[in-house]
Structures are given as C-alpha cells and as structure tokens.
Amino acid sequence: MAGLERYGAPLIAVDFGTATTFDIVNARREYMGGIIVPGLKIGAEALFQRASRLPRVEIAPPERLVGRSTVQAMQSGLFYGYVGQVDGILARLLVDYPDSHVVATGGLAG
C-alpha cells in the first residue's frame, strides 16, 4: 500500500526478506498476483548445509566476478546469481506490465 501511495500504479513491489516476493498491481490498482522465490540468505545457508565442504560465507558484493578462492567464488555466485534472478524476473514482468514502478523493500533491499 505504501508503494501505491508513494509511486502510484502500475507497481511491482519486490520484498527482499527470508523469501523474495514480487507483487504486481496493475494500472487500475488491482492486485494481479505475485511470485515467491527463496531469499538470498536461504540460498547461502543451503550451500553451507547441503554441500559438505563449503563454508558459511558472508553475503557481500564480491571484489571481482571470478573468485580466486572458494569463499570468493561462493560470494560471487550467491550475489550475481541472485541479482540475475531478480533482474530476469523483473525483465519478464515488465513485458507484461510495462511502465510499472519498481519498488524494493525488506531487510536485504539495500
């Protein structure tokens, strides 16, 4: 609601929390539905828990695209994989809902 009040419709609100959600409101201010994907921290924790030799890493933008250590490679994969997922979903949504305002919210929005 805050996004609609501040930016108007159509609107795509992306909430970066435990899960990442995309909520779509059309130009008539009707809620069209949403998309839910695992959040960035869930992905990082899954790598640590399910891949026996991978360490827990800080979620941070990597210094370079190609990591030269396991930690750097994981940080790059987590960061750019997640950015690519969000960018890809938004690109597809904007085909169906052109001229939408895109608003980021939630703990990892920064």
Side-chain angles (χ1 to χ4, degrees), residues 38-98:
L40 181 56
K41 289 183 179 180
I42 288 176
E45 191 62 23
L47 275 178
F48 170 70
Q49 288 183 359
R50 306 288 285 188
S52 62
R53 302 195 108 171
L54 294 180
R56 183 175 274 130
V57 298
E58 176 187 3
I59 297 171
E63 293 179 20
R64 61 180 63 85
L65 178 61
V66 178
R68 294 188 179 165
S69 69
T70 300
V71 169
Q72 290 174 347
M74 289 175 66
Q75 286 176 324
S76 183
L78 287 164
F79 184 82
Y80 289 113
Y82 192 71
V83 167
Q85 174 180 264
V86 171
D87 284 350
I89 291 171
L90 283 174
R92 291 169 190 248
L93 285 171
L94 288 168
V95 168
D96 291 340
Y97 302 95

Side-chain angles (χ1 to χ4, degrees), residues 25-40:
V25 179
N26 70 14
R28 295 185 303 272
R29 299 175 68 97
E30 299 167 327
Y31 178 69
M32 301 306 297
I35 298 169
I36 302 171
V37 300
L40 181 56

